[in-house]
Amino acid sequence: MASSIIISDTQPWKDLKAHVEDIKKTHLRDLLTDDKRCQSMFLEFDDILLDYSRQQATLETIQKLLKLAEAASLKDKINRMYSGEHINSTENRSVLHVALRASRDAVIESDGKNVVPEVWKVLDNIQEFSERVRNGSWVGATGKALKDVVAIGIGGSFLGPLFVHTALQTDPEAIESARGRQLRFLANVDPIDVARNITGLNPETTLVVVVSKTFTTAETMLNARTLREWISSALGPSAVAKHMVAVSTNLKLVEQFGIDPNNAFAFWDWVGGRYSVCSAVGVLPLSLQYGFSVIEKFLSGASSIDQHFYSQPFESNIPVSAPFQIFYTFELYCTCGSLLVQACASGFVEHMECFISWISCQSECLFDLFPSEIFNRPSYLIVKLWRSWPPTFNRQVSMESNGKGVSIDGVPLPFEAGEIDFGEPGTNGQHSFYQLIHQGRVIPCDFIGVVKSQQPVFLKGEVVSNHDELMSNYFAQPDALAYGKTADQLQKENVSPHLIPHKTFSGNRPSLSLLLPSLNAYNIGQLLAIYEHRIAVEGFIWGINSFDQWGVELGKSLATQVRKQLNASRTKQEPVQGFNFSTTTMLNRYLQ
Ligand code: F6P
């Protein structure tokens, strides 16, 4: 691959940086009076409406961002991704998650071979297998139908499927097709998670799906061994063949583990873990729960965005139009705080941590926040804040993809890439962290809403339905952030002078609003693909490799060292050695 430029060395980057000074002189209160500007910041595709008029941007800013995209060779990079070039250069792989949802007759090549027929072969197998399980022609070792599924996996082998499951759980069509069935996910290696997961399940009626791209991930393999033991101690070792199946790129290790290779569903190294929800990773467990026909709609929604992203000019391209955080990572917010958040609200989105975890989508309107933090890194804050969240898919897609310190050629970046994402569905965030986004740090937000609720509620005598109530907040928050409230306004309202500083809102806080027609399987697929591509666009512009994740390796190898020590100390009473004072002290206490 040709050596790439450092984007911050280009003139468009410098122009944008200089333009920050002009933007600092503007206020959204004024920008929003310009109807022509606002009109040009609306995009529509397939009944999805994107409004980015509340971004801190003028029409000139947009032109400058487009120039930046040109300088970054964005179109060329997108084309290279779709044409199967090895754009994941550090792992020498294509990046072809778009092939996972391409139509049967599409041609998408990796290393000179059309991968679409292989994709459909696996999809056809999943359809056949899931139908057999669902209609009871595939039964467990004691002849009982398998109505419960436990999917074991972590990271991309967990968060995407969880996001989609969370979103579908309240969709009327999906509810109907999932009747009598249960899907659970086991990710964390904490024994508490295992206990919670199998509580109330009967091994006789449970199918375990082990999902791991590599089939080496420590947590997944340990959990898989634990559930293998749970099954074989209840039903005998031969029951494993009927009660355990796998999804992996490493079919050899699947067989070594003891799962019949005929019951293994493949995917390929050109599918990144966090981009794998549309492979067997997500399609198998979700088809077992909801039926293949529902999941096919999810795939086709994602595919509709793939085509839009590939073919639309940037000016009218939804995933391309959204990455303002690149602009915000200039000095725009350095004076007002260390946290830059991009927020996004909508049902699925909860999982995209809200992308997901971004979807605790049971609510029809998901308010998700994708924070991108620029100058300091209060990541501890985010971790603590969101530990108890439902899945956090988007967080993984965004932060594992773009949390990089060097360019794709390995040159240290003279700026910080990546963003910190967090979010919350519905109005829950309003009663939790919105104080900070209104009067504390400036955190760009995405608000994601849907026109039609999955589960409308109309109470007799109530004028406003639950969904209207939810959406009232969806429409109000972006304006509250943008306009704020001035001391003048407060004075006119006769607010006591000593309270005026406390009740003043500076406003001028950016957001974008995405409005989907509903949150069915098709729209969920669209939402997924919008954020997948948007994150790729950011990475392409920053000039990084959004498709590797070397940063996760160091912690894993240090854990291996600790694990060895724990084993040696427990089995051979070996003293703790080779660690620093702090870790030695802590390990000794733990071993006591
Ligand atoms: O956390 C690192 C990671 O490699 C993710 O990228 C991946 O999704 C996850 O671990 C799980 O990996 P696997 O599917 O190989 O078990």
Side-chain angles (χ1 to χ4, degrees):
M1 184 177 305
S3 156
S4 50
I5 49 159
I6 295 293
I7 192 66
S8 56
D9 290 342
T10 65
Q11 196 53 44
W13 179 281
K14 290 175 189 160
D15 288 349
L16 258 174
K17 225 171 160 175
H19 179 63
V20 165
E21 293 312 311
D22 301 332
I23 287 298
K24 279 182 181 166
K25 291 180 203 138
T26 66
H27 196 290
L28 279 169
R29 223 176 272 145
D30 305 314
L31 294 176
L32 287 166
T33 60
D34 180 349
D35 288 352
K36 190 170 156 246
R37 166 191 172 276
C38 296
Q39 215 169 18
S40 64
M41 293 185 177
F42 268 82
L43 291 185
E44 196 164 0
F45 168 70
D46 207 5
D47 288 340
I48 299 173
L49 194 61
L50 172 72
D51 170 13
Y52 61 96
S53 60
R54 288 182 197 77
Q55 295 289 0
Q56 277 185 293
T58 60
L59 293 177
E60 191 186 346
T61 317
I62 306 301
Q63 288 313 314
K64 289 184 185 300
L65 278 167
L66 289 170
K67 288 237 163 66
L68 184 70
E70 208 179 297
S73 306
L74 180 59
K75 184 65 200 156
D76 179 50
K77 288 176 183 171
I78 295 170
N79 289 344
R80 280 162 47 200
M81 178 171 95
Y82 276 70
S83 64
E85 257 190 56
H86 286 203
I87 62 167
N88 176 358
S89 53
T90 61
E91 296 179 306
N92 194 21
R93 291 174 182 168
S94 311
V95 175
L96 280 180
H97 43 281
V98 293
L100 300 171
R101 53 252 187 161
S103 59
R104 244 178 230 281
D105 55 357
V107 176
I108 300 180
E109 294 189 346
S110 174
D111 300 320
K113 185 174 162 212
N114 182 13
V115 298
V116 177
E118 286 178 66
V119 166
W120 274 95
K121 194 168 162 218
V122 175
L123 290 176
D124 289 341
N125 288 343
I126 292 176
Q127 177 170 18
E128 201 239 323
F129 177 73
S130 57
E131 276 167 13
R132 286 176 67 203
V133 172
R134 287 169 57 82
N135 67 24
S137 57
W138 174 288
V139 290
T142 57
K144 291 192 178 161
L146 303 176
K147 60 182 182 51
D148 301 318
V149 170
V150 175
I152 302 175
I154 200 161
S157 294
F158 158 56
L159 294 169
L162 176 59
F163 146 61
V164 179
H165 174 52
T166 314
L168 282 178
Q169 252 174 344
T170 41
D171 171 65
E173 185 192 357
I175 291 176
E176 202 43 54
S177 57
R179 210 165 282 289
R181 307 197 58 81
Q182 247 192 107
L183 172 60
R184 296 185 183 184
F185 293 91
L186 176 57
N188 193 358
V189 80
D190 187 333
I192 299 302
D193 287 67
V194 177
R196 278 188 187 144
N197 200 277
I198 57 178
T199 297
L201 291 186
N202 177 356
E204 280 184 293
T205 53
T206 303
L207 177 70
V208 175
V209 184
V210 185
V211 185
S212 175
K213 180 173 171 178
T214 54
F215 229 70
T216 58
T217 302
E219 297 94 324
T220 299
M221 297 326 297
L222 184 53
N223 280 334
R225 291 194 292 276
T226 305
L227 286 216
R228 183 176 61 187
E229 177 61 24
W230 178 68
I231 288 166
S232 51
S233 61
L235 308 172
S238 62
V240 169
K242 283 286 176 190
H243 291 262
M244 287 188 96
V245 299
V247 175
S248 186
T249 58
N250 197 335
L251 300 184
K252 217 165 139 192
L253 289 185
V254 170
E255 190 170 2
Q256 275 172 25
F257 178 86
I259 291 176
D260 184 344
N262 292 320
N263 300 335
F265 298 84
F267 66 114
W268 307 271
D269 70 358
W270 43 262
V271 183
R274 55 194 172 273
Y275 296 93
S276 65
V277 60
C278 295
S279 72
V281 165
V283 176
L284 177 62
L286 294 164
S287 295
L288 285 162
Q289 177 68 5
Y290 298 106
F292 185 78
S293 62
V294 171
I295 305 311
E296 212 175 0
K297 289 178 192 155
F298 161 72
L299 296 177
S300 106
S303 174
S304 74
I305 294 294
D306 295 341
Q307 290 162 46
H308 165 86
F309 177 53
Y310 185 64
S311 59
Q312 277 304 301
F314 289 164
E315 292 83 345
S316 52
N317 192 310
I318 289 182
V320 175
S321 66
F324 278 90
Q325 54 272 42
I326 289 168
F327 180 50
Y328 294 143
T329 59
F330 294 154
E331 284 93 354
L332 206 50
Y333 293 125
C334 63
T335 53
C336 55
S338 62
L339 182 67
L340 178 57
V341 178
Q342 179 169 5
C344 167
S346 172
F348 94 109
V349 177
E350 189 189 5
H351 249 277
M352 259 182 152
E353 173 168 17
C354 132
F355 190 61
I356 312 175
S357 186
W358 43 353
I359 292 186
S360 105
C361 229
Q362 359 224 26
S363 292
E364 15 308 339
C365 167
L366 313 154
F367 289 66
D368 248 326
L369 298 186
F370 299 94
S372 69
E373 181 270 333
I374 305 310
F375 288 92
N376 305 322
R377 284 188 181 272
S379 53
Y380 65 93
L381 173 72
I382 302 301
V383 171
K384 288 207 162 153
L385 207 54
W386 305 113
R387 191 171 175 275
S388 60
W389 271 38
T392 54
F393 177 48
N394 198 49
R395 202 185 321 174
Q396 187 203 10
V397 180
S398 165
M399 293 165 71
E400 196 167 80
S401 295
N402 289 344
K404 305 288 163 64
V406 296
S407 76
I408 193 157
D409 299 319
V411 179
L413 294 177
F415 53 88
E416 292 205 324
E419 64 194 47
I420 295 174
D421 292 344
F422 68 95
E424 184 71 26
T427 61
N428 295 359
Q430 215 158 303
H431 298 277
S432 136
F433 56 82
Y434 274 36
Q435 169 65 42
L436 182 138
I437 67 173
H438 281 291
Q439 289 187 313
R441 295 169 188 263
V442 175
I443 298 175
C445 299
D446 288 7
F447 290 93
I448 301 170
V450 295
V451 173
K452 192 168 161 262
S453 170
Q454 285 181 328
Q455 299 283 333
V457 175
F458 298 99
L459 287 184
K460 247 193 196 159
E462 291 280 341
V463 185
V464 178
S465 71
N466 279 42
H467 190 59
D468 281 351
E469 176 60 34
L470 183 68
M471 292 303 285
S472 301
N473 289 282
Y474 164 86
F475 291 114
Q477 287 294 341
D479 276 341
L481 287 165
Y483 289 88
K485 192 154 189 178
T486 64
D488 267 6
Q489 286 172 300
L490 293 163
Q491 265 157 15
K492 282 184 193 135
E493 289 173 10
N494 293 324
V495 170
S496 301
H498 78 285
L499 284 179
I500 286 182
H502 300 281
K503 293 194 165 191
T504 300
F505 291 70
S506 60
N508 207 23
R509 288 159 190 254
S511 67
L512 65 79
S513 300
L514 190 61
L515 190 59
L516 305 170
S518 62
L519 199 64
N520 54 28
Y522 181 82
N523 299 137
I524 293 164
Q526 291 185 307
L527 197 51
L528 170 93
I530 287 173
Y531 279 91
E532 278 179 348
H533 293 321
R534 164 174 163 170
I535 288 158
V537 165
E538 290 166 24
F540 286 150
I541 294 180
W542 274 318
I544 58 180
N545 183 355
S546 299
F547 307 105
D548 62 10
Q549 58 285 319
W550 299 106
V552 304
E553 296 305 326
L554 181 57
K556 286 184 192 171
S557 66
L558 292 183
T560 300
Q561 220 175 301
V562 174
R563 196 181 302 124
K564 277 188 190 146
Q565 176 70 60
L566 290 176
N567 284 340
S569 298
R570 290 203 194 283
T571 57
K572 297 181 221 150
Q573 281 69 52
E574 280 184 17
V576 172
Q577 54 191 357
F579 297 92
N580 60 29
F581 175 82
S582 162
T583 308
T584 305
T585 310
M586 298 295 276
L587 279 172
N588 280 328
R589 171 60 63 93
Y590 178 69
L591 283 162
Q592 267 169 24

